[in-house]
Amino acid sequence: MNHQPFETWIFAQEDLNEADRLALQQHLEACQACRSLQEKWESLHEELQAPAMLAPRAGFTRRWKAGLAEKRLREQRRQAWKVFLTFSGATTAVVLVMIAYALLTSTPAEWVQAAMRTVTETVGTYSAVRELTTAWMNLTPLGLNIVIWIALGVTFCILAFIWVYAIWRTAFAGVWNK
Ligand SMILES: [Zn+2]
């Protein structure tokens, strides 16, 4: 196919008369090579109109950054899950080994004995702690006790606040970065 004069006309379309414009249009519809040249010329024109392109580019950069932050967050969550699952799996394995070992080396009667002993010891520890606390409360002045209760309460509130804040940040981080 003969591409002239159409190849030249593509670069000077403003100067063409109506008949030439129509002839070029018909050639473009029939010729793949010239059509691709025309498209390249058009996209170059658009590229050169920099001020018009600035706004979409800024939007694109912002969206790209948001996408990156989201990807990073997803990666962090996946890592957290991986650690959690690994620890859970390891703990389960240890418990299973302990149960298997107990089944192999002892009898049910011994388990009951061990359970009873554990309960007794726990109760013993609990009453010991309570007695110790009561004794301490009786020995120390009231003002000191109140100060210590307030300190414990404030510490608890701060810890609870940090915990809630951490969960909140994790849950809404993706929304904020958009
Ligand atoms: Zn052509």
Side-chain angles (χ1 to χ4, degrees), residues 4-5 10 17 34-35 47-48 62 108 130 132 142 157:
Q4 284 301 350
I10 284 170
N17 63 40
C34 286
R35 200 159 57 234
E47 203 70 43
L48 289 172
R62 191 166 43 78
R130 208 180 49 184
L132 212 68
L142 187 68
C157 286

Side-chain angles (χ1 to χ4, degrees), residues 1-4 6-7 10 27-28 30-35:
M1 198 183 276
N2 183 18
H3 300 301
Q4 284 301 350
F6 308 110
E7 266 181 351
I10 284 170
H27 179 78
L28 285 175
C31 175
Q32 172 71 51
C34 286
R35 200 159 57 234

Side-chain angles (χ1 to χ4, degrees), residues 60-129:
F60 172 77
T61 310
R62 191 166 43 78
R63 280 197 298 277
W64 183 75
K65 276 184 186 159
L68 196 72
E70 205 173 300
K71 212 168 110 182
R72 209 175 290 147
L73 187 76
R74 265 207 307 274
E75 185 64 27
Q76 278 173 1
R77 279 190 184 154
R78 228 186 49 198
Q79 286 291 338
W81 269 110
K82 216 185 271 176
V83 170
F84 173 73
L85 288 176
T86 307
F87 272 97
S88 305
T91 310
T92 310
V94 168
V95 169
L96 286 177
V97 167
M98 280 166 72
I99 289 172
Y101 181 76
L103 284 172
L104 287 171
T105 57
S106 57
T107 62
E110 281 174 327
W111 305 346
V112 172
Q113 262 179 14
M116 294 293 282
R117 203 167 51 235
T118 307
V119 168
T120 317
E121 273 166 17
T122 308
V123 170
T125 310
Y126 172 70
S127 32
V129 167

